[in-house]
Amino acid sequence: MHLDLFAPFELGGLTLANRMVMAPMTRNRADADGCVPSLMVDHYRQRATAGLIVAESTTVSPQAVGYPFTPGLHTAAQAASWRRLTDAVHAEGGRIFVQLQHCGRVSHPSLLDGQVPVAPSALAPAGQAVTYTGPQDFVTPRALDADELPGIVDQFRRAAALAKQAGFDGIEVHAGNGYLIDQFLRDQTNHRTDAYGGSAANRMRLLNEALDAVCEQWPAERVGVRLTPENGFNSMSDSDPQGHFEYFLGQLSARGLAYAHVLEGGMATTAVSLDYRALRERFAGTYIANNGYNLARAQAAVHAGDADLVAFGTPFLANPDLVRRYRENLPLAAADPATFYGGGEAGYTDYPFHQGDAAQTRALTTQADVQAVAGPAR
C-alpha cells in the first residue's frame, strides 16, 4: 500500500486530514494567570490545516509552572480561555490535543510563590531558570515524598477533566524534555530507593499512574505520550536509553493509546545515536516521529513505515500554511529566533500565507535546506 504524508489518517476515532502534526511549541504568550489571549487563538487558527495540532506545554497546577507566561489547565478560567481557541481550530476543520505538563525541578521559587521546585531526587539541573525578572540559577529541588505522589497524579486527572471542558480532542502526557515525569523515567535524575526508583518498572510508575488518571477522563485512544529518549535538554541523560525506552514503549503498547510521540535525537541537534526503528517496533500503536524532518525525509519515513505521522516544529512556526507549501512544493519562510519566546504578533501571527506564485515572506529557503534548529519546543 502506498502511504502518503498528505493522505487522511484515522486516530482514535478522529479522521485527520493529513499525516502532518504541528508539534507542541512553548511560545510564552499566555497571560500571567495562565489564560489564553486572543493572540494565541489567532496563532493556532492560522495553522489548523495540520492533520493534528498538539498545543503547547500546559501546566497541570501552580506547582507545575516552569516558565513565565505559559498556559495552564488547572482553573475554570483557563479552561474557558482554551475553549475559544479549540472552537476556532475546529471551525477551520482542525483537530487539537493538549500537552499536559509538570516541569518539576525545571523551575524556580520565584515562579512558585516562593516554594522550592520538586523532583524525584534532590538533584539540581545545570544552567539557569527563565523567570519574570530574567535568568536565575536553578536551585536544588526538593525530593517528593512518596505520599505526595498521589497528589501529583491527581493534578493530571483534574487537568484532563478540564481539557474536556476546554473542547480539546485529546490529551498528550508530556513525559520528556527533562520535566517531572522524564525526571522519574531516567536513572540519571531518579536516585530513589522506594517503589518509584531503581528498576525501569519502578521509574515508570509515575507515568503509568498519570496515564491511569487521565484515562479515567478520556478513552485511551484519545491519550498520547511524548517521549525524548536521548534528549540532553535540561541536563538529562540515562545509563541505557535504548534498553530503557524499548521497555517503556513496550509497556505503553499494551495500553491502546492514541500514539507515542517520540523526539528522535536531541532538541539542539539532528544527530541520532539510538535505533529508533527498534523503538518504533516496540510500540504497536500510532508512532509520531519528530525532530528535524523536512518534506523529503517525512515522506520517506511514512513510506517506509518508520512513522505513521510526522511532527514539525519550526517549519509550522514560520509557515502557517505549511501543509499547502509542502504539498505544492512552494518555498518556505525562515523563522526568526529573536521572536520565539514572548512578545506579541511579531514572529507569531504575522508570518504570511503563500500568495500566488511568490511567497510574501521576510526570508525564504528551499525545502531541502530546512533543517532542525534549536527552536521553541519545550
Side-chain angles (χ1 to χ4, degrees):
M1 180 176 63
H2 180 75
L3 301 177
D4 187 84
L5 190 65
F6 306 107
F9 186 83
E10 294 297 316
L11 180 74
L14 300 171
T15 298
L16 309 185
N18 53 70
R19 294 171 182 246
M20 292 178 61
V21 177
M22 177 177 159
M25 290 178 282
T26 293
R27 306 301 303 281
N28 304 94
R29 283 170 168 87
D31 70 19
D33 294 322
C35 290
V36 171
S38 297
L39 188 66
M40 283 179 63
V41 175
D42 292 341
H43 174 77
Y44 282 96
R45 179 195 291 117
Q46 289 174 348
R47 289 154 179 81
T49 54
L52 176 66
I53 293 172
V54 182
E56 63 203 80
S57 177
T58 299
T59 57
V60 296
S61 73
Q63 181 197 58
V65 174
Y67 300 94
F69 300 114
T70 50
L73 258 179
H74 46 89
T75 71
Q78 291 167 348
S81 70
W82 273 114
R83 186 74 197 215
R84 294 186 300 115
L85 190 153
T86 59
D87 284 349
V89 169
H90 291 148
E92 298 294 330
R95 301 292 191 182
I96 183 167
F97 279 37
V98 64
Q99 185 187 73
L100 298 184
Q101 155 84 314
H102 193 305
C103 286
R105 71 177 189 167
V106 184
S107 188
H108 188 270
S110 66
L111 299 169
L112 305 174
D113 292 327
Q115 298 298 307
V116 176
V118 297
S121 303
L123 301 167
Q128 294 184 306
V130 180
T131 76
Y132 285 100
T133 58
Q136 298 194 53
D137 291 343
F138 283 118
V139 302
T140 299
R142 177 177 64 81
L144 285 158
D145 292 333
D147 61 7
E148 295 180 276
L149 294 175
I152 299 289
V153 171
D154 196 51
Q155 292 174 18
F156 281 88
R157 179 184 291 106
R158 293 196 307 268
L162 285 170
K164 278 194 167 181
Q165 296 179 30
F168 285 100
D169 296 303
I171 298 289
E172 179 175 290
V173 173
H174 199 347
N177 288 355
Y179 300 118
L180 184 65
I181 294 178
D182 195 25
Q183 292 160 28
F184 273 84
L185 288 176
R186 295 205 247 182
D187 57 13
Q188 178 257 344
T189 44
N190 185 342
H191 293 184
R192 300 176 74 94
T193 57
D194 62 5
Y196 292 86
S199 68
N202 280 358
R203 297 197 314 275
M204 191 181 182
R205 191 179 304 276
L206 182 62
L207 173 56
N208 279 327
E209 291 177 350
L211 287 171
D212 287 344
V214 169
C215 290
E216 291 174 11
Q217 307 297 324
W218 292 82
E221 65 178 7
R222 294 292 184 92
V223 177
V225 177
R226 168 80 155 173
L227 297 171
T228 58
E230 61 177 316
N231 190 12
F233 185 60
N234 287 323
S235 300
M236 295 300 293
S237 64
D238 188 85
S239 67
D240 181 16
Q242 186 77 47
H244 290 157
F245 280 84
E246 284 189 21
Y247 172 80
F248 298 147
L249 283 160
Q251 295 297 303
L252 291 171
S253 184
R255 284 184 167 271
L257 298 172
Y259 59 75
H261 182 184
V262 180
L263 184 83
E264 299 176 341
M267 284 173 56
T269 176
T270 56
V272 168
S273 62
L274 301 189
D275 181 350
Y276 283 94
R277 181 67 194 214
L279 290 176
R280 190 256 186 280
E281 289 175 351
R282 294 288 293 173
F283 187 75
T286 296
Y287 180 91
I288 303 178
N290 177 226
N291 200 20
Y293 279 83
N294 59 15
L295 174 60
R297 186 177 167 214
Q299 284 279 40
V302 170
H303 291 168
D306 291 334
D308 298 297
L309 307 173
V310 178
F312 302 87
T314 307
F316 258 120
L317 182 158
N319 300 273
D321 54 347
L322 184 66
V323 175
R324 182 197 171 199
R325 292 190 191 228
Y326 272 175
R327 183 186 286 122
E328 299 179 17
N329 287 305
L330 299 171
L332 298 186
D336 176 11
T339 60
F340 281 170
Y341 304 114
E345 296 179 1
Y348 191 61
T349 57
D350 66 341
Y351 287 106
F353 290 70
H354 188 276
Q355 302 292 328
D357 296 327
Q360 300 174 357
T361 57
R362 291 173 289 184
L364 297 177
T365 65
T366 64
Q367 291 163 352
D369 291 335
V370 174
Q371 299 296 329
V373 298
R378 283 182 181 160

